[in-house]
Amino acid sequence: MNVCSKCGNPHVIIKKKSSGQILCRECFIETTESKVLHDIRKYKLVEKGDKVLLGLSGGKDSVMLLEILNSLKERHVIDLVAVTIDEGISGYREDGVRIAKLNTEKLGVKHRIVSFKDYFGFTLDDVMKKTSDQPHSRHPCTYCGVFRRWFLNRVAKEEGATKIATGHNLNDETESILMNYLEGNIQNLTRIGPKSESRNERFTVKIKPLREIPEKEIGLYVVAKGLEVHFAGCPYAGESFRAEIGSFINDLTAKHPTIMYSTLRGFDKMKPVLKKEFAEESHTGICENCGEPASGRLCKACSFVERWDEDKV
Amino acid sequence: MVVTVIKGENKKKLDINGNKTVKDLLELLDVPSETVVVKKNDFIVIDEEQVQDGDTLEIIQVIYGG
Ligand SMILES: [Zn+2]
Ligand SMILES: [Zn+2]
């Protein structure tokens, strides 16, 4: 007979293979929230008086993070504003935007919706339709990543935010470590962690409070709490090296339940050494078009836009 | 025994035999258990929960590939 390890309740909702812990609904929610708040303190992800900009897609990770950051807002530790970036992916993003709005309204958190279309004049769908046959066309995730980073930095500045929070979870982080290691991208490895440490003041510090929570537990948390969440896969995702690594990690985890934790722990121990040997401060200049950090004349976002203009996309 | 299975917009009755757990049922339906949360009669349950005649099982996909 399974009963909750904490309170003895026989209605259990999780049996953690990694720790042997068995928890009921209430104790699981409690334990998960305190784990995240503990990590926020441990890694000093926020300080009293911070204004945090949360990237809120409406998916499970960012909706869970909204709940937890809002508890810090209610205790007057931080100020909070959420931003949803509308890339313009028809049939997919609309629901995410609607659900993000619903959640922020419920909690009374300021919410901004910014779109590729409004800032740059095109949607991701437009770009993919018009460039997919071009020789230098890239995977949509590449564009999406570049523009999303641009928006988060830009909106953080507009809002006077001191931190940018994203919902990256333990699976995402373990994937990034393995991917970059296997591909030999040591530069990228030096940038993985709970908190970005750029010395460039034009970059707002980025934090990942859910970095030690497995994706499955985030899914369980939002269902257990009865939160409104956008459960759907992006139509542009699919075959990618990250997805391959993701399923490899899932297969390993089935047999070795602590593997993601040990990968992360081991990496975090090596990181100071990697940083010392390999970290370079990139992006020293500013983009002559938009004023965001750039390694050359233009930032990555503006150089994509310039190329599409030349190609009459 | 007959159980009702709800997954997304789909709702169907399933005739299964013998003692089955949620895990067995997911395998039967070819649903990877690490991607879903299962509710039995409106309560979240773990994989080893026994399924009984007349139960309603809701399968909520929480992880989407790629
Ligand atoms: Zn309990
Ligand atoms: Zn620029």
Side-chain angles (χ1 to χ4, degrees):
Chain A
M1 182 70 185
N2 290 311
V3 296
C4 176
S5 322
K6 295 215 150 174
C7 74
N9 184 336
H11 293 287
V12 299
I13 67 164
I14 187 171
K15 203 170 175 177
K16 293 193 196 191
K17 288 194 196 115
S18 53
S19 63
Q21 207 176 32
I22 303 175
L23 295 170
C24 72
R25 178 181 163 274
E26 287 72 22
C27 292
F28 170 72
I29 291 173
E30 229 278 324
T31 307
T32 310
E33 288 176 348
S34 6
K35 161 72 179 154
V36 178
L37 290 169
H38 172 263
D39 288 348
I40 290 176
R41 279 192 301 274
K42 180 177 169 193
Y43 299 108
K44 300 188 171 62
L45 301 188
V46 302
E47 287 160 60
K48 191 165 169 53
D50 261 337
K51 182 168 186 179
V52 179
L53 175 73
L54 167 65
L56 180 68
S57 65
K60 62 184 185 316
D61 309 290
S62 60
V63 169
M64 172 174 176
L65 190 49
L66 175 68
E67 285 285 307
I68 289 174
L69 291 177
N70 185 59
S71 73
L72 292 175
K73 174 182 173 265
E74 283 180 340
R75 281 155 46 200
H76 305 286
V77 180
I78 59 165
D79 193 6
L80 181 61
V81 51
V83 62
T84 303
I85 300 164
D86 180 356
E87 315 88 348
I89 303 175
S90 152
Y92 169 71
R93 180 49 65 208
E94 298 89 339
D95 272 348
V97 170
R98 182 180 57 78
I99 288 165
K101 192 158 177 271
L102 212 122
N103 279 289
T104 49
E105 277 172 2
K106 184 188 83 185
L107 300 172
V109 170
K110 180 177 177 188
H111 183 214
R112 287 192 49 191
I113 301 163
V114 294
S115 73
F116 280 24
K117 184 97 190 161
D118 289 348
Y119 276 72
F120 292 101
F122 54 79
T123 65
L124 188 63
D125 285 343
D126 293 338
V127 171
M128 293 324 293
K129 234 174 271 157
K130 289 168 180 164
T131 64
S132 53
D133 52 350
Q134 309 253 351
H136 45 60
S137 163
R138 308 276 286 271
H139 193 279
C141 296
T142 304
Y143 298 133
C144 200
V146 165
F147 285 95
R148 229 183 351 217
R149 236 167 297 145
W150 186 93
F151 270 109
L152 285 175
N153 268 305
R154 169 56 63 105
V155 177
K157 255 171 262 170
E158 288 175 2
E159 294 293 330
T162 47
K163 298 278 161 63
I164 296 171
T166 56
H168 292 91
N169 59 47
L170 179 60
N171 296 61
D172 297 328
E173 203 73 343
T174 313
E175 282 165 15
S176 299
I177 292 167
L178 269 189
M179 272 175 70
N180 285 305
Y181 175 67
L182 294 176
E183 289 180 319
N185 289 328
I186 309 303
Q187 277 300 314
N188 288 359
L189 277 180
T190 66
R191 285 193 282 270
I192 294 173
K195 187 177 175 182
S196 68
E197 292 152 37
S198 174
R199 271 160 286 169
N200 188 334
E201 281 180 10
R202 288 179 176 274
F203 276 119
T204 307
V205 175
K206 292 200 174 82
I207 56 170
K208 299 177 197 161
L210 304 185
R211 179 180 190 253
E212 298 190 10
I213 311 294
E215 182 173 22
K216 175 72 194 276
E217 289 183 21
I218 295 176
L220 184 60
Y221 174 90
V222 296
V223 175
K225 264 210 136 176
L227 298 173
E228 191 85 40
V229 167
H230 184 217
F231 284 125
C234 175
Y236 287 119
E239 281 317 297
S240 66
F241 187 53
R242 179 174 285 276
E244 258 180 86
I245 295 291
S247 64
F248 169 65
I249 292 171
N250 281 339
D251 292 347
L252 275 179
T253 300
K255 277 193 186 165
H256 313 275
T258 56
I259 205 78
M260 287 194 289
Y261 297 98
S262 56
T263 304
L264 191 80
R265 288 279 169 267
F267 172 77
D268 285 354
K269 278 187 199 150
M270 284 193 295
K271 196 187 155 188
V273 184
L274 286 175
K275 268 199 86 154
K276 199 163 152 241
E277 290 293 319
F278 299 103
E280 302 175 342
E281 197 64 28
S282 53
H283 303 300
T284 40
I286 59 167
C287 172
E288 63 179 39
N289 185 49
C290 73
E292 293 295 319
S295 44
R297 183 174 64 85
L298 294 174
C299 71
K300 273 189 184 156
C302 290
S303 57
F304 280 135
V305 174
E306 187 182 69
R307 184 185 290 163
W308 295 328
D309 283 345
E310 281 165 7
D311 293 348
K312 302 265 183 309
V313 163
Chain B
M1 63 179 169
V2 178
V3 295
T4 306
V5 176
I6 304 169
K7 188 166 190 282
E9 309 279 280
N10 294 320
K11 183 175 180 172
K12 60 181 175 189
K13 286 211 187 306
L14 215 62
D15 201 349
I16 51 176
N17 46 30
N19 265 348
K20 292 264 187 302
T21 61
V22 167
K23 190 174 196 276
D24 297 331
L25 192 80
L26 291 175
E27 270 167 21
L28 208 71
L29 295 167
D30 208 16
V31 173
S33 76
E34 68 277 5
T35 61
V36 297
V37 171
V38 179
K39 282 185 178 177
K40 188 179 96 169
N41 307 326
D42 283 336
F43 290 96
I44 301 171
V45 292
I46 55 174
D47 274 7
E48 55 194 74
E49 178 82 9
Q50 286 288 334
V51 177
Q52 267 135 21
D53 189 41
D55 279 344
T56 297
L57 289 131
E58 190 187 352
I59 300 171
I60 307 160
Q61 188 177 350
V62 295
I63 295 179
Y64 287 76

